[in-house]
Amino acid sequence: MTSPRLKIGISACLFHPDPQRTAAPSKTLNWIEQSTAHWLMRGGALPVMIPPPPDATPLADDTPVGTHDYASWLDGLVLHGGADVWPGHYGEEPLQPQWNGDRLRDLYEMALLRAFVDAGKPVFGICRGLQLLNVSYGGSLFQDLSLQHEGARVHREAQSYDLHLHEVEVLPGTRLARLLGPGRHRINSIHHQGIRRLAPGFEAEAISPEDGLIEAIRHTGSAWLGAVQWHPEFHRRDLPVMDDTPLLQDFLEAARAARP
């Protein structure tokens, strides 16, 4: 008898109330990238969007359902891309209004992260997910690479979006090197922020060779926490990028191993 399919939670992006929006302008909407769900499905897992429970944001009403209920039911968590992280979480003021980020989403995802770690379930971060992991454990970010990281290459090109590609250097001796092979690999790049100070308890697994920016991280302790700055869910076979399917397989194997 085959084991039941893995159930993997995906943290939601938030559309906050906006009077200019035609759909439910007074309501908070939850959404995920379809590509993220399909990426998990390609590995045979069932993706489940996790709406913010009441214990994850100070603005929600009381109900008996909380983040630990999701962490006990699901097998793993993906923190996916979206809005900037609020600079206040790493002790800074926004340098420009557009970099204020989404504080409420941060609080919700940080609560999810704690719950899944407490439950011994793996967490994989994509783009913003990498940044959220780093900040949650005491690291900091460049609010904007082009202004704050001297010599930074272009990491986000609005017109080409997920077709904007560059190389990363996978560092030898890391788990990522065992999965993908050490050395240069081409990936997509869709971000204007990045890791400035790496959080304690994490190691860099890949860097951008042109400017030294950290592109992948992993927790060095007992918790299974890994993240990449690029978007494996956006990769297409017709593009000259690496096949990072082993990333997905490794995460799902950890989720299966964490089952009771």
Side-chain angles (χ1 to χ4, degrees):
M1 179 178 178
T2 59
S3 59
R5 290 192 184 277
L6 293 167
K7 301 184 296 295
I8 303 298
I10 305 175
S11 62
C13 297
L14 308 182
F15 275 158
H16 298 289
D18 180 358
Q20 303 303 313
R21 192 176 65 222
T22 56
S26 65
K27 303 298 182 183
T28 298
L29 307 182
N30 300 163
W31 62 279
I32 60 170
E33 277 274 5
Q34 179 174 269
S35 299
T36 307
H38 287 180
W39 179 65
L40 291 168
M41 289 177 185
R42 285 199 296 273
L46 295 173
V48 179
M49 186 184 76
I50 306 176
D55 62 349
T57 164
L59 299 184
D61 296 327
D62 290 335
T63 75
V65 175
T67 51
H68 284 82
D69 293 297
Y70 282 100
S72 64
W73 175 56
L74 298 170
D75 299 304
L77 172 67
V78 171
L79 300 170
H80 80 349
D84 294 345
V85 175
W86 178 55
H89 287 309
Y90 48 95
E92 296 183 10
E93 294 292 329
L95 297 178
Q96 294 189 20
Q98 65 267 33
W99 301 335
N100 192 54
D102 190 337
R103 176 177 170 270
L104 289 180
R105 180 177 171 189
D106 297 345
L107 294 173
Y108 146 62
E109 290 190 314
M110 288 174 176
L112 277 181
L113 173 60
R114 288 192 299 270
F116 275 79
V117 170
D118 289 347
K121 307 291 181 67
V123 179
F124 184 73
I126 297 173
C127 196
R128 169 193 158 89
L130 172 141
Q131 297 165 13
L132 193 283
L133 271 177
N134 187 61
V135 169
S136 297
Y137 280 81
S140 67
L141 305 176
F142 292 109
Q143 292 189 40
D144 185 77
L145 292 166
S146 64
L147 291 183
Q148 293 184 293
H149 188 25
E150 186 176 355
R153 62 153 296 125
V154 175
H155 287 272
R156 182 181 188 275
E157 211 291 312
Q159 294 302 316
S160 54
Y161 195 59
D162 59 333
L163 300 181
H164 177 63
L165 312 176
H166 72 71
E167 289 190 330
V168 295
E169 181 85 23
V170 175
L171 302 179
T174 61
R175 186 184 187 99
L176 194 63
R178 294 196 296 273
L179 293 171
L180 302 177
R184 300 283 181 97
H185 299 272
R186 185 169 292 274
I187 50 89
N188 58 42
S189 185
I190 320 169
H191 62 104
H192 79 101
Q193 299 192 323
I195 292 177
R196 186 173 198 165
R197 183 182 69 252
L198 183 62
F202 282 80
E203 67 174 353
E205 292 200 304
I207 62 170
S208 171
E210 295 177 330
D211 57 15
L213 185 73
I214 295 173
E215 296 272 356
I217 61 174
R218 189 171 299 274
H219 195 265
T220 58
S222 59
W224 199 105
L225 303 172
V228 296
Q229 186 63 79
W230 63 89
H231 288 261
E233 78 280 14
F234 287 167
H235 281 182
R236 291 169 17 195
R237 294 179 180 176
D238 61 329
L239 293 178
V241 294
M242 70 173 170
D243 178 7
D244 49 11
T245 302
L247 281 176
L248 173 61
Q249 294 172 338
D250 188 53
F251 168 61
L252 294 181
E253 286 171 9
R256 193 172 300 281
R259 281 181 161 176

